[in-house]
Amino acid sequence: MGKRMVMFDVVFYVVFPIVLWHALRSPVGEYGAMLICTVPGAVYTVYRYWRIRKVQWFGTFLIVNLAVSTLLNIFAGSALQMLWNDVWYSIVLSVFFLVTVVVKRPLLLYFSLDFVEMQGAPRSVMKRRFLERDVFSLFQWITVGFALRDGLLAAIKAYLIVRYDVEAFDRAIVIREVIGWGITILCMLGFVRISKIISERENRHHST
């Protein structure tokens, strides 16, 4: 988890949207300001996709997620509806992650395959290792973690909207990043454990 990526995430997903929200809501209205606030994050997401465009599953997820989010925002019609659309979409994402766990195709396993392949590891070999029982179960739990992240975000966003109406916008931005990175850091511990299991098996194989 590079420091530059963390910094860019904070700048494009937190700082720019909050600054634009407070600067533009009076001149262009709340809904217009919200739409404009999504532009820096969308541009940054496209840039990240361009940087990793050879990544199959993760790159596709990024661009589809961006496209759906953009359409939901454009067709919302009002600032308040745009906030509620974000709640419902977070629920959909949470359910989607859980479905991949139920059908034993944890999405984070396929994301990880993309990244190890990008680093030069043979995809077919790494897939066999990832499908071994103890490693596979960790990928299941990591994917559940991401599902819980989106479900928790949906619940908190809904609470903020009910309590603060459109004023929930900037509060939700900060909370989203805090929870998002918190869950991500916990899931990274799972990836560290996976890496350790695979390394130990390779060492045992080479020593025999």
Side-chain angles (χ1 to χ4, degrees), residues 16-200:
F16 280 173
I18 290 177
V19 170
L20 290 172
W21 166 247
H22 288 285
L24 298 176
R25 60 184 300 189
S26 294
V28 303
E30 292 170 339
Y31 180 46
M34 281 189 190
L35 286 175
I36 294 171
C37 287
T38 64
V39 173
V43 172
Y44 176 56
T45 300
V46 171
Y47 169 74
R48 286 176 68 175
Y49 173 74
W50 178 79
R51 286 290 302 272
I52 58 171
R53 58 193 180 278
K54 292 182 180 179
V55 177
Q56 302 171 18
W57 285 89
F58 186 70
T60 301
F61 179 82
L62 269 184
I63 209 68
V64 169
N65 187 50
L66 174 62
V68 173
S69 300
T70 301
L71 289 174
L72 288 174
N73 293 336
I74 291 173
F75 292 112
S78 70
L80 187 60
Q81 186 59 52
M82 185 171 163
L83 291 176
W84 279 114
N85 284 354
D86 194 35
V87 171
W88 292 115
Y89 187 51
S90 292
I91 294 173
V92 169
L93 285 176
S94 178
V95 172
F96 176 66
F97 278 116
L98 287 176
V99 167
T100 69
V101 171
V102 171
V103 299
K104 299 188 182 302
R105 296 290 187 275
L107 197 58
L108 269 297
L109 184 151
Y110 294 95
F111 288 174
S112 299
L113 280 175
D114 287 342
F115 288 114
V116 296
E117 183 180 29
M118 221 168 77
Q119 293 167 4
R123 190 181 185 92
S124 58
V125 172
M126 293 308 298
K127 186 174 182 179
R128 285 197 300 272
R129 292 173 180 170
F130 286 175
L131 289 175
E132 292 172 0
R133 187 189 310 181
D134 48 355
V135 175
F136 181 78
S137 65
L138 284 170
F139 277 117
Q140 290 275 73
W141 282 112
I142 291 170
T143 306
V144 169
F146 277 83
L148 291 175
R149 177 199 65 180
D150 287 316
L152 182 58
L153 283 173
I156 292 174
K157 288 173 188 175
Y159 168 77
L160 291 174
I161 295 169
V162 170
R163 181 167 183 178
Y164 299 108
D165 201 67
V166 293
E167 297 298 330
F169 180 70
D170 51 356
R171 292 177 174 88
I173 288 173
V174 175
I175 291 173
R176 178 192 67 201
E177 290 304 306
V178 170
I179 292 177
W181 277 107
I183 298 292
T184 299
I185 289 170
L186 289 176
C187 291
M188 288 299 294
L189 297 176
F191 287 120
V192 170
R193 177 59 182 160
I194 288 170
S195 178
K196 186 177 180 181
I197 291 172
I198 292 174
S199 295
E200 288 174 351

